[in-house]
Structures are given as structure tokens and as C-alpha cells.
Amino acid sequence: MFYRETGQFKTNYTDDMAIFPIRQDRIGIAIILAIALILPFVVSEFVLKTILLPFLALSVAVIGLNILTGYTGLISLGSAGFMGVGAYACYKLTTIFPEVNIIIWIFASGFFAAAVGVFFGLPSLRIKGLYLAVATLAAQFFLQWAFVRIPWLFNYNPSGAIEVPLRTLFGMPITGPTAELEVKYLICLGFVIGMTWLASNLVHGRIGRSWMAVRDMDIAAELMGIKLLNAKLLAFAVSSFFCGVSGALFVFLYLGGAEAGTEFAIRLSFLILFAVIIGGTGSMIGSFFGTAFIVALPTILKFGAPAIGIAITGATAEKIVLMIIGALTIYLLIVEPHGLARLWQIMKQKLRVWPFPY
Amino acid sequence: MMLHVSPTAATTGIAKGEVLLNVENVSLRFGGVKAISDVSFDIVKGEVRAIIGPNGAGKTSMLNCINGFYFPQEGHITYKGVRRQKVRPHEAASSGIARTFQNVALFKGMTTLDNIMTGRTLKMNVGLFWQLLRHGPAMREEIEHRRKVEDIIDFLEIQAIRKIPVGKLPYGLQKRVELGRALAMEPELLLLDEPMAGMNLEEKEDMCRFILDVNQTFGTTIALIEHDMGVVMDLSDRVVVLEYGRKIADGTPDVVKADQKVIDAYLGVAH
Ligand SMILES: Nc1ncnc2c1ncn2[C@@H]1O[C@H](COP(=O)(O)OP(=O)(O)O)[C@@H](O)[C@H]1O
Ligand SMILES: [Mg+2]
């Protein structure tokens, strides 16, 4: 009930530097985790499949782009391309070494995306803002082209698509058509928790501070001894790593098969960027708000509106979704760059002084 | 006071009173504009060296040459006995030069604490792996440096604004945080570009006290650009006067104050 820090005195720096210094916050996180664990067993298969799985898979990419755009101040429109690199890397790895567990390969595919990300991040030393966005757009188009034109990547399947094979963990199918949705969900959840923990560790330490310094005032950052190129390339590497893992999760645990030409297209890159802006740049929790927004809104409109008697076709719903997301993004860019995460903070602040606001 | 922050003097080999930085015949042009013309002066270890002159005289440009933002077209800068070629700002930083800016250049979205912690970057070296885990060596290092930063926060009396994003602070406090960030680097040479500009009297007095304390307690050498002549006379050991990019006087405050050229060029105009 009472959300406040009164009486919780920090007597050492370790406590004060904790990522959730307030006890109620820690309890809150524990409750959210507990809910996340039982959720797949109480919601319908439909919700699991159309909302929860894509939410988990995409949130990793949104965190990744938030590291690059929100924390380091570099805009990228190549996120979907980097996700694709992860997905294809995972596909090739598990094809070539089927005996190694798929979970290891999902994680390892992040390294391939990171390498590609660093390569396309090289121009960021010289160019910023809009020009960098255009450069990453070129990366996006190049990668999209490669996914379609290099048949080796999709094992020469005549369909041109990744066909996710059956892989198991302790004898239980976790990928492929026979894997249970609940199992896929729990694997995804494990990745999301682990990756969020790593990202939040990183942004709270020296490296995170260097990124934010580069974002806020690059000449002063250089004067602190921060090498701009290193800091920016590291941001590209970590960000693309997250996108790569997200892409592998997206295909192997959510879609179950994908054509990169359509799945990892520029549209997804934009959606990820919008999720970062809507959720709040430079905020971990905001990344989840933003992802929830872009994942849930289409489903709610497409299936929720007809349910309450508003006749709306799938195609119209799709367009309305894009309009809402676009308008909200522009609105937030102008009035509240910290997005939904800021509303969350204001709410917590209100709660902290409640019921005596003065 | 700052009990744990030790001066770096022991590591340098330059003793108090010896030349720390020598500027020889430096000229700097921007296209047709001559910002600095053939200026020479030196900064001696342990002193407070003021650089004064009317607006546009080239004072800020001189600091920019010293810390590697600009490369002078002519002349040389010798630092700790080594004549420097093209030095990049991060190299200047690792050789012990820190500075503050005329128009505060803080990291606006970060808290006071994080801004000052950033000043410790060069002294922190635990790598990516432990940073990802935020345990073991990474946490030990973080705590060790947090301690030093807290000493600086106590010294500058800014405990109350520790966790506030600096973009929300009033200008006077921002200047103080910026000084804190520079101090966190434990510099050997501290360049201050108009640290008291835009402050009220009380804030100015505080800032003067901090600058003197830094100089006297830690032996940090300071190059100070300042317009307020009273402050310059009180704080500095020696003064160099620039006008239109040229040096017109150089000496102790009393000598400079009595110099006719200075009176005409600067004091006459300003007061
Ligand atoms: N980056 C720059 N590009 C062009 N001209 C500059 C630049 N920096 C400074 N100047 C010029 O150099 C001269 C000296 O400026 P500055 O060093 O800022 O003077 P001060 O700090 O003494 O007021 C001015 O005429 C200014 O216009
Ligand atoms: Mg100036």
C-alpha cells in the first residue's frame, strides 16, 4: 500500500547503488515475475500466441535499440535487419551443428548480429542524426536483399523461408511444430529476464555512463577520456547482439518459420524505433511498455473492436494501428521524450507523497 | 575535506615551481580570422595562472589548443617537458588535463552523481564481462570510485542534488557540478573557462573558495579565464593578458594592473 522510502536508510554504497533501491520496487518486481511465470497457464492459447510470445521476443530487440538510441543517442533503422542476421545465424548454426542445444545457438547468434552491427556502425563516428539513420537504412536494405538472394542462408529451401526444425531440451520439444506454446513462452521469458538483467547492469555502470555522456555532450565525453569511436561501436555491438537474439527468438519460438523478406523488413525496424520512443528513450521499463503497446494494439483493434460490435476489417485495423502509433510517436517526440516510462515515474512520485501531496 | 583524493604530483616528475606547460609562438586561424597570433607564455606547476582579455581576445581558443580541440597552425605546446604533436582531447585527458567550459558542458540527462562519476572513467578499467554481471571486480571498482566522488560532493557542498538530473539545476549549481566532474579526474592541470560567469556574489565567493582550496590542498595547477578583475587579483599568482589574439602583458597581478596597455585595452573598457 505505502510506496515510499521513509525508514529505509542506505548505510552503504552497495545498497544505494542497487538498481531497485526501494523495497517496494523489489517486491513489485518479484510479483511481476511470479505473474509472468503463471500467465501462460491461465491465458488462452490465442493470447499466448498473438500477444505474449511476440511481446517477449520483440522486447529484447526494443531493449537493444534503446541501448543504441535511448542511451547512446544514435538512431538506427536497421534493427529488423540485425534481427534477421540473428535468425539466419541461428538457422545455419543449428543446421550445421544439430547436436548442440538450440538455446546455446539462440544466444550465440547474437554475436553474429553484433559483428554485422559493428560493421554498419562504423560510419557513426563521422555522421549523426538523420544521416546516420539513412546509413543504417542502407544496412537494412542490404541485409534484406542478402536474406532473399543468398539461398545458402535458408538452406536452399524452395520456399525461400527458414523452416524451424524440431529441437529439444531434456527430451522436451522446444522448437518446431510439436513444441508446446507454454514451453516456448517459458524459454522466451528466461531469455528476456536474463538479457534485461545484463542490459540493466551495463547501463548502470561505467559503460552505461560513457554511452549517456556521448549522447548528452560528445565533446565533453571525449574530455573525460572516453574514446567516441569505441563507445559508439560498443553500443552498436551490444544493441545488435540484443536484436540478433531477439530475431532468433522471434523465428524459432514465435513464428516457427519465416521469410526474411517479409518479416525482417523496414516496417519492423520502424515499429521497434516507435516502441523505443513510445516507451521512453533511455529507460529499461519503458522498453517493455513500448513493446506491449506495439504488440497489443493491433490485436486489440483487430479482434477487440468487432467483439464490442464495431465492424472493422483486418486491413482497416492495420491502418488505424499505424496511424495511432505514428501520431503518438510524433506527439511524444515533441512533448515527452521520456514516453510512457515518464508517466510511470510521475505515478510513482505521486504515490510516494500520497495522501499528502504537499 | 577530500581525504581520499590525492594529488597526482608524485607521479609526474615535475616539481612545484617548474614549468608544467609551455606555449611557444602559437598562432591559430579560422579561415581568415586570426584567433591567436604568435602567443607565448608558460604555466608553472602549482600556480594559479589567469588569462584575461576582452571578449573575442582568444582566451577560450587558447584553452582549446591546450586540451586538443584545436590544432594551432604555428607554434608548439610543450607539456611536462614533452613537445606535443597533434593531441586529441582524450589524450590530453589521460595526460592529466581537465577543464570546464564557458557555457557549461554537462551531461544534461544524467544525475549529479553520474556526471561526476563520469570524471572517473579513465581510472576505471574493469571490462565488459564483469560490467555485464555488475558483481565482483566491477562492483568493487564502482564502490571505490563512488567513495571518491562522494568526497568531492562533500567538498563542493552539493549533497542535496546528488540524484537530480543536472539539466534541472540552476546555472550556478551546474557550474559547481562541472567543477566537480573535472576534479574527479584528479587533474594535474585544471583549465577553468569563466567559472564564475553569470553567478551572484555569494556563488562567486563559494567558487573562489573552492578554487583556492583545490590549488592549495592538492597542489593542482590552475589556468583560469575570468572577467572579474577583483577575483583575478585575489586568486591568481600570475596573469597573461590577451587582446585581439595577441599577448599584451604578462606578470603578477600588480604589475599587470599597472600596465598602461592593459589599462587602455581592458580595464579601461570594462570598468
Ligand atoms: N570554431 C570557431 N570558428 C570560427 N571562429 C572562431 C571559432 N572559435 C573562435 N573563433 C573566433 O576566434 C576569436 C576568439 O574567440 P574566443 O577564443 O572564443 O575568445 P574569448 O574566449 O577570449 O572571448 C573570435 O573572433 C571568435 O569569433
Ligand atoms: Mg571565451
Side-chain angles (χ1 to χ4, degrees):
Chain A
M1 190 70 244
F2 292 102
Y3 178 78
R4 58 199 55 180
E5 60 256 75
T6 323
Q8 300 178 29
F9 296 109
K10 318 289 184 312
T11 50
N12 62 52
Y13 292 130
T14 320
D15 286 354
D16 194 48
M17 290 182 327
I19 288 167
F20 299 110
I22 299 180
R23 190 189 303 125
Q24 284 85 340
D25 272 336
R26 291 195 294 272
I27 295 172
I29 292 291
I31 292 174
I32 289 172
L33 285 182
I35 292 175
L37 274 177
I38 48 173
L39 205 54
F41 305 102
V42 295
V43 300
S44 69
E45 200 162 283
F46 173 79
V47 171
L48 195 51
K49 174 94 184 111
T50 55
I51 296 183
L52 294 184
L53 277 179
F55 166 76
L56 289 179
L58 280 179
S59 63
V60 177
V62 174
I63 289 176
L65 184 64
N66 215 334
I67 285 174
L68 190 65
T69 303
Y71 286 90
T72 321
L74 302 169
I75 286 190
S76 163
L77 289 174
S79 321
F82 301 137
M83 281 177 72
V85 173
Y88 281 91
C90 191
Y91 191 38
K92 291 311 290 183
L93 287 166
T94 193
T95 308
I96 300 169
F97 307 100
E99 64 284 356
V100 177
N101 196 288
I102 187 74
I103 291 181
I104 293 176
W105 285 144
I106 290 175
F107 192 75
S109 46
F111 290 103
F112 291 80
V116 174
V118 167
F119 177 77
F120 286 110
L122 280 172
S124 66
L125 184 67
R126 293 260 167 252
I127 54 178
K128 284 189 219 177
L130 189 60
Y131 299 99
L132 182 62
V134 172
T136 55
L137 195 60
Q140 169 70 35
F141 284 127
F142 170 78
L143 291 170
Q144 236 173 291
W145 174 87
F147 298 148
V148 177
R149 297 292 162 193
I150 305 178
W152 175 79
L153 284 176
F154 46 85
N155 291 354
Y156 305 97
N157 291 332
S159 63
I162 294 177
E163 286 163 8
V164 173
L166 171 71
R167 293 288 182 264
T168 57
L169 179 67
F170 307 125
M172 192 170 28
I174 53 174
T175 68
T178 51
E180 301 276 351
L181 280 178
E182 288 84 357
V183 176
K184 291 182 181 177
Y185 171 94
L186 290 177
I187 305 265
C188 269
L189 184 66
F191 269 100
V192 169
I193 294 171
M195 303 283 286
T196 307
W197 180 68
L198 293 179
S200 123
N201 284 342
L202 214 48
V203 299
H204 281 90
R206 166 178 64 87
I207 292 174
R209 286 192 296 268
S210 319
W211 286 339
M212 292 186 275
V214 170
R215 171 195 69 190
D216 286 350
M217 184 67 72
D218 54 358
I219 54 163
E222 233 185 326
L223 209 68
M224 301 291 109
I226 295 168
K227 297 195 184 80
L228 297 185
L229 184 64
N230 294 11
K232 289 178 180 182
L233 289 186
L234 184 61
F236 262 100
V238 174
S239 163
S240 311
F241 185 96
F242 276 66
C243 287
V245 170
S246 164
L249 291 172
F250 197 69
V251 169
F252 279 71
L253 293 167
Y254 162 56
L255 290 175
E259 256 176 280
T262 52
E263 289 307 331
F264 299 117
I266 180 71
R267 191 190 129 89
L268 183 59
S269 284
F270 270 111
L271 276 180
I272 293 172
L273 181 61
F274 293 161
V276 169
I277 294 167
I278 291 173
T281 50
S283 157
M284 281 294 146
I285 187 133
S287 303
F288 289 104
F289 291 149
T291 317
F293 198 85
I294 59 159
V295 171
L297 189 65
T299 314
I300 289 172
L301 266 184
K302 223 188 281 181
F303 301 97
I308 56 168
I310 304 168
I312 188 172
T313 64
T316 320
E318 196 99 324
K319 290 201 186 84
I320 294 177
V321 166
L322 284 183
M323 277 164 57
I324 294 179
I325 290 180
L328 191 63
T329 303
I330 293 170
Y331 173 77
L332 287 174
L333 273 181
I334 295 169
V335 303
E336 185 51 82
H338 298 295
L340 296 177
R342 178 81 192 124
L343 295 182
W344 174 247
Q345 251 178 19
I346 293 172
M347 216 179 70
K348 284 210 297 190
Q349 191 55 41
K350 290 249 156 76
L351 207 55
R352 194 169 291 172
V353 292
W354 186 86
F356 306 109
Y358 298 105
Chain B
M1 250 188 293
M2 292 163 78
L3 300 172
H4 305 285
V5 182
S6 56
T8 42
T11 59
T12 71
I14 304 265
K16 195 166 156 63
E18 284 178 38
V19 174
L20 179 65
L21 182 106
N22 196 15
V23 175
E24 293 167 85
N25 309 102
V26 161
S27 296
L28 177 75
R29 285 185 303 274
F30 297 102
V33 181
K34 255 199 153 188
I36 302 175
S37 313
D38 196 27
V39 170
S40 304
F41 68 97
D42 61 6
I43 299 177
V44 162
K45 174 123 187 113
E47 75 174 334
V48 177
R49 183 72 144 128
I51 304 174
I52 65 171
N55 274 327
K59 306 180 297 294
T60 300
S61 302
M62 182 52 85
L63 293 197
N64 285 342
C65 289
I66 294 175
N67 75 8
F69 281 127
Y70 298 157
F71 304 124
Q73 281 91 358
E74 283 153 45
H76 305 282
I77 296 176
T78 309
Y79 177 62
K80 290 199 224 169
V82 182
R83 181 180 281 192
R84 306 191 313 186
Q85 297 304 321
K86 284 195 170 182
V87 169
R88 306 279 311 141
H90 65 81
E91 290 161 344
S94 47
S95 69
I97 301 179
R99 85 174 266 189
T100 66
F101 293 81
Q102 187 169 349
N103 319 300
V104 184
L106 283 170
F107 309 123
K108 291 252 164 23
M110 298 164 69
T111 61
T112 298
L113 192 57
D114 278 346
N115 265 278
I116 303 179
M117 279 298 277
T118 309
R120 304 293 301 173
T121 302
L122 274 175
K123 310 211 179 288
M124 301 178 81
N125 44 33
V126 171
L128 182 62
F129 176 78
W130 287 110
Q131 296 281 341
L132 278 165
L133 302 182
R134 202 174 155 81
H135 268 282
M139 205 57 184
R140 274 199 295 280
E141 185 182 60
E142 190 86 2
I143 290 170
E144 177 196 328
H145 290 276
R146 170 75 186 268
R147 241 178 227 131
K148 303 219 162 162
V149 165
E150 287 292 342
D151 288 336
I152 292 171
I153 286 176
D154 289 346
F155 169 70
L156 294 175
E157 298 155 18
I158 47 178
Q159 295 91 337
I161 57 168
R162 222 190 242 116
K163 301 227 166 147
I164 298 180
V166 294
K168 295 196 175 136
L169 297 174
Y171 188 72
L173 278 179
Q174 291 196 10
K175 288 236 151 197
R176 213 185 272 196
V177 174
E178 202 188 19
L179 176 64
R181 186 180 66 179
L183 288 179
M185 295 172 71
E186 296 181 46
E188 205 163 334
L189 175 60
L190 178 58
L191 314 173
L192 303 175
D193 197 345
E194 305 197 15
M196 283 159 254
M199 285 187 168
N200 63 34
L201 189 61
E202 197 185 336
E203 288 171 328
K204 272 190 188 179
E205 280 171 353
D206 281 341
M207 191 52 102
C208 277
R209 182 160 55 82
F210 295 137
I211 293 172
L212 271 183
D213 264 356
V214 168
N215 175 251
Q216 283 166 7
T217 320
F218 314 121
T220 309
T221 313
I222 293 174
L224 169 77
I225 298 179
E226 182 48 52
H227 277 299
D228 188 321
M229 283 312 286
V231 168
V232 170
M233 297 303 150
D234 284 350
L235 285 186
S236 55
D237 297 308
R238 290 191 301 157
V239 186
V240 50
V241 191
L242 301 181
E243 189 198 19
Y244 297 121
R246 299 184 177 280
K247 184 169 95 167
I248 56 169
D250 189 349
T252 60
D254 291 332
V255 171
V256 165
K257 200 160 57 173
D259 191 304
Q260 192 54 46
K261 270 194 296 211
V262 177
I263 295 170
D264 291 347
Y266 185 70
L267 302 176
V269 182
H271 299 272

